[in-house]
Amino acid sequence: PFHSVSTTDDLANVSDVLVCKPSEMAFYSIPKLMIRRVGDHEQKSALRAAELGDGTLEARTVREIMKNVHVFLDSPQVLINMNKSIEKNNDIEIYQGLEIAVKRALDRANEHNA
């Protein structure tokens, strides 16, 4: 049932850039080229990735997408900086939100049952 998630996990480990709409994918620890969102609720995911330094702002047209692709190809420092941001974000556990939430829930349950 979760084949697409596990496949994305596998591919992210061997990819240089993830091209995606700003959805749950915005929280993968890989440089991201954010393309046009489907719903307005996804706008904040693209903004957050840009704030964290691991993704672009939303590219809403093919021209904007290709401009970003050329930036990646012509200026490798951009991807290097995104990867440095990912390392920094990982050090402060930005990408471990689910793990932290589950741990807190289990801790609360254990306190309640004690």
Side-chain angles (χ1 to χ4, degrees), residues 105-114:
L106 290 173
D107 289 347
R108 275 192 173 170
N110 290 334
E111 288 173 7
H112 185 277
N113 292 329

Side-chain angles (χ1 to χ4, degrees), residues 28-95:
Y28 270 74
S29 55
I30 180 173
K32 292 167 285 291
L33 168 51
M34 298 293 186
I35 59 174
R36 187 179 181 142
R37 66 182 180 263
V38 173
D40 288 340
H41 65 285
E42 295 177 333
Q43 180 182 16
K44 290 183 181 177
S45 295
L47 291 173
R48 182 66 175 150
E51 288 172 355
L52 292 173
D54 66 0
T56 66
L57 291 171
E58 179 184 7
R60 296 187 55 84
T61 65
V62 172
R63 175 174 276 160
E64 290 172 347
I65 293 166
M66 293 311 299
K67 182 178 176 184
N68 279 291
V69 168
H70 288 291
V71 167
F72 289 155
L73 293 172
D74 298 338
S75 305
Q77 192 62 44
V78 172
L79 286 175
I80 291 168
N81 290 342
M82 284 181 160
N83 279 292
K84 286 180 180 179
S85 291
I86 289 167
E87 290 175 341
K88 181 189 79 170
N89 295 339
N90 191 57
D91 288 344
I92 59 174
E93 299 184 331
I94 290 288
Y95 305 111

